[in-house]
Amino acid sequence: MRINYEVELLLPAVTASLGVIGKDVDITVKRDKDGYPIFNAKHIKGILRERVYQFKKALGVEEDKVNSFIHKYFGASGSYIKNENFMQIRFSNLTIKDKEVFKKREFSSRLVRNRYGIGINRKTKSTIPQSLFNYEFLVRNNVFEGSLDVNDGIENNDLKFILACLFHLDKIGGMKSRGIGKVRVKINGNYLEGENGVKATKSLDKIINELKRESNEKLDLKDEKLIKYKYTLELKETAVFKSRELGNYVESRKSIQGSTIRGALIEYFHKKEANLDILKKIEASDAIREDNKINLASLFVTKYCVKNDENKIVSMYEDKVIFSETEYKDGTKYERTSIPELKNTGNELSVKINTKVKSAENGMLFNTEYISNTENSKNIILVGDLKLPKEITENKFTIYIGKYKFKGFGKATITIEKYSDKIETDIIDRINELSTKVQEDIKSKIGKEKEKDIEDEIEDKDKKTICFDLYSDMIIPFTDIYDAGEQFLMLAGLKDENFKFNPKRSFINTGKLEGFNIINGIRKVDELIFVKGSVFTYTIEENDHIKFKEKLIKIEENGLGLRKNEGFGRIRICTERGDKYELPCKKRG
């Protein structure tokens, strides 16, 4: 269920304490991408969590039971109970209400002003020399709005206690010790009786009863049969998809894996008390751009701008599966393109607060990279396919994906529609088309290059070329990678066939995959992967590709490697490739 609430500023407030070195303002108000002030969801989560802890302790509840309650609804790093993630409360950011009103007026004068302060030496009770600073603050009487997403199965007493704590939030933001940040909270349009001299329009019990009635109905799944759908994903908020963690820095992936979509769907339907054993059978592919283009590792671009035949400055693009040379004879350098599917927006800084002394802990400054949910002022749209139990009839719902999804990141809407296979080029035609281009490239070198340097290619000039393009990461069941070309054939069931690995036209990236199991509440063991976009290229005898047609079709349909139901191991054989092409240099990358 969703609980909407408003926070009215009774006194001026500061949304964040961010030092700006060398600027006119020392501490600024935190703003969203459109320039409006914002209170981060993690800040609201932190102060509500602290208020819950204080109230539980004041009521004489034992420490272990207090921690258990907090871990269940607010989460705790390294301390999980099976399936407790499904009970966590999801917080949204607090944003200014009625934005349209402020677009018609002067923004800064209506919302933000600034004042001066000075540092005090606590020991001598006197001012610190040269400690004058100024800071921005939000003026009083402005109203912010946000929401909490709570599991429909939450116990009434627990929900009542959490809402009571939310009603009793009295201060918000930074610099509260300077007498600012006092607020009043309204939940679903209602104040709490007696709070700040305002009479409640409804009691807490009535509010809860209304929420329960408005919450979604339970989903009863019995049939395990799955139906394939096409899905469209629209990103509503910035998101964090952790690629790796370097100390206190979290680097985000620039793509959305099928396992991320699958996990979010399982969580969504499990909150409706659907059968978890059936939900585990859900399958999902990676979310990719609507044009279905994948940034293959074989695509190269000139490192520096070059002149074309018309003497114009351009960037030259080409696919090295077809054009195997790595540089022009004049020394023009090529490098792999690095066009991400999603773009980095910025970094979120945060500190860990010691709840006992109410101050930041040393060395606990965290920096998280997050990706944008917009492009050209519009929400990013991605597509993919999935399999859902046939009893699910919803065609559009809101899910939360990625890391920190309980702290205001990762909101998205997913729309499903009937899946229909597109009419695609026959796999044999694709192999023939690629082979013809590769043969032409080899023949163009004969007589121009030393035969000793290209003797391997001369042997292949009349053979067929087959390349396997990875459209998602492939999890491999090996403890190490000793011969990628041979190991791939083992996974494909082609090791004993007459496939010859062509390293000159193959481009393989390897890595480790980290993950978290939301069902069992444990971190997954790192697994070796062939990274999305890798290209494995082989040569076979002239007519052998025809006898392998059925096996190649199954590889495209079913994928290879482990955890294929989570979208891993998707493969496209001989992706259609264009000739060399050029773009204006300013558009490169």
Side-chain angles (χ1 to χ4, degrees), residues 38-214:
I38 185 174
F39 288 94
N40 277 121
K42 62 184 179 181
H43 174 68
I44 308 302
K45 181 177 181 178
I47 58 178
L48 180 59
R49 177 180 177 148
E50 182 181 3
R51 185 51 54 95
V52 167
Y53 178 85
Q54 291 171 344
F55 279 21
K56 283 284 185 182
K57 293 296 289 182
L59 293 171
V61 180
E62 296 177 2
E63 185 76 18
D64 290 343
K65 291 183 179 179
V66 175
N67 290 333
S68 178
F69 184 89
I70 288 176
H71 293 175
K72 183 177 182 179
Y73 294 114
F74 294 86
S77 177
S79 177
Y80 293 93
I81 303 171
K82 186 176 180 180
N83 296 341
E84 77 164 8
N85 249 17
F86 295 123
M87 296 302 295
Q88 274 199 54
I89 300 171
R90 199 269 176 179
F91 291 75
S92 73
N93 294 324
L94 272 184
T95 57
I96 193 73
K97 188 179 180 181
D98 299 326
K99 285 185 178 181
E100 295 298 326
V101 174
F102 295 101
K103 288 183 179 179
K104 299 175 183 177
R105 308 184 184 186
E106 183 63 31
F107 169 73
S108 58
S109 63
R110 280 298 310 274
L111 291 178
V112 180
R113 296 175 188 169
N114 78 40
R115 59 171 60 159
Y116 288 88
I118 193 167
I120 301 295
N121 187 315
R122 295 180 183 273
K123 293 182 178 179
T124 62
K125 309 297 183 186
S126 60
T127 59
I128 300 174
Q130 299 181 344
S131 63
L132 180 68
F133 67 94
N134 64 340
Y135 60 91
E136 290 182 337
F137 65 91
L138 295 168
V139 298
R140 58 181 296 182
N141 297 328
N142 281 305
V143 179
F144 287 76
E145 56 187 2
S147 64
L148 308 178
D149 286 295
V150 182
N151 192 312
D152 290 349
I154 187 173
E155 295 181 11
N156 274 15
N157 288 337
D158 289 351
L159 178 58
K160 187 175 182 179
F161 185 85
I162 291 169
L163 292 186
C165 293
L166 180 61
F167 266 127
H168 282 87
L169 289 184
D170 57 350
K171 288 189 177 180
I172 195 173
M175 306 182 73
K176 292 187 287 290
S177 62
R178 294 179 176 266
I180 61 177
K182 188 175 181 180
V183 297
R184 178 170 57 205
V185 176
K186 180 192 289 187
I187 299 177
N188 276 31
N190 301 282
Y191 292 110
L192 186 63
E193 187 173 3
E195 284 297 302
N196 298 311
V198 178
K199 185 176 181 180
T201 52
K202 292 179 185 176
S203 67
L204 195 53
D205 287 320
K206 285 184 178 180
I207 294 173
I208 292 174
N209 289 335
E210 286 182 357
L211 289 170
K212 288 287 186 177
R213 284 197 301 270
E214 294 171 0

Side-chain angles (χ1 to χ4, degrees), residues 5 24 42 77 79 132-133 135 138 174 229 273 298 375 384 478 512 584:
Y5 68 98
D24 293 334
K42 62 184 179 181
S77 177
S79 177
L132 180 68
F133 67 94
Y135 60 91
L138 295 168
Y229 297 97
E273 302 182 32
S298 58
E375 190 171 88
F478 304 111
K512 286 186 177 181

Side-chain angles (χ1 to χ4, degrees), residues 33-34 233-237 289-290 342 345 372-382:
K33 65 182 187 304
D34 297 319
L233 186 77
E234 181 177 359
L235 301 182
K236 297 290 189 179
E237 294 176 344
R289 293 284 187 173
E290 291 181 282
L342 301 172
T345 297
S372 175
N373 63 304
T374 59
E375 190 171 88
N376 299 324
S377 300
K378 295 181 180 179
N379 286 337
I380 292 173
I381 305 292
L382 303 168

